[in-house]
Amino acid sequence: MPVADDLAPATDTATLRRAYGCFPSGVVAVACQVTDPTGTPAPAGMAASAFTTVSLDPPLVSLCVQNTSTTWPRLKEAPAIGLSVFASDQSDLCRQLAGPAASRFDGITPLRTDDGAVFIPGAAASLSCSLFNEIPAGDHTLVLLRIEALRSDPGVEPLVFHASTFRSLEALRDGR
């Protein structure tokens, strides 16, 4: 068996990021209604690309949040957190939700539930969740969310993040 002698140490951050970029992931908006400093209800949220399904029983999904996030501490206190799986045509919205917190919802009319989960209209799926667990994981926190209610449309193409860029899925046909 040939020897794999071209492996770089995992301590090389640039090489590690490039390797992580080889794995495509879905992109979600994580949002809820909070009270702003003036006492007015307002949406708060962020974009997350480290999102995956975890369990059917109980219904769990996960995402990873940087420990330096100033948004997550506000979201995790909410009774309900909305996850919106971005559609393939929502890359601009995703970039906006990854940008400065003060302008993340500019020009967006989000949907919300009575318990405060906030969703992006036109998403491929919307999951209303509660915090299930948080697990420290290096410079991130692994967040487990329990799905309480949901809506999905498999006919809506999801936004995919791969190699530091957004992409669309293409169905492979027989013979290709």
Side-chain angles (χ1 to χ4, degrees):
M1 176 181 301
V3 175
D5 60 358
D6 60 345
L7 298 176
T11 55
D12 180 352
T13 305
T15 302
L16 189 58
R17 282 183 186 271
R18 189 170 59 246
Y20 284 174
C22 289
F23 185 76
S25 65
V27 190
V28 296
V30 184
C32 68
Q33 186 169 291
V34 298
T35 303
D36 73 13
T38 67
T40 306
M46 61 186 182
S49 62
F51 167 80
T52 191
T53 59
V54 175
S55 171
L56 291 173
D57 186 18
L60 299 175
V61 293
S62 72
L63 55 99
C64 292
V65 177
Q66 286 183 339
N67 292 338
T68 58
S69 173
T70 57
T71 303
W72 176 245
R74 297 176 70 204
L75 300 179
K76 74 179 187 176
E77 298 302 323
I81 301 167
L83 294 185
S84 301
V85 177
F86 284 109
S88 63
D89 63 351
Q90 294 181 318
S91 60
D92 289 341
L93 286 175
C94 183
R95 282 186 196 88
Q96 183 173 326
L97 279 169
S103 57
R104 289 183 181 162
F105 287 90
D106 288 357
I108 300 173
T109 304
L111 307 171
R112 70 170 184 80
T113 61
D114 289 340
D115 56 1
V118 171
F119 305 104
I120 302 300
S126 299
L127 313 172
S128 180
C129 302
S130 59
L131 181 60
F132 185 78
N133 199 1
E134 292 180 290
I135 303 162
D139 59 2
H140 281 67
T141 298
L142 175 62
V143 176
L144 293 173
L145 297 170
R146 182 184 184 107
I147 303 168
E148 305 293 346
L150 68 155
R151 149 201 92 67
S152 63
D153 184 350
V156 174
E157 291 291 327
L159 184 62
V160 176
F161 191 67
H162 174 255
S164 298
T165 192
F166 295 117
R167 301 178 188 266
S168 295
L169 293 177
E170 180 182 337
L172 295 178
R173 305 202 191 322
D174 291 341
R176 276 181 69 177

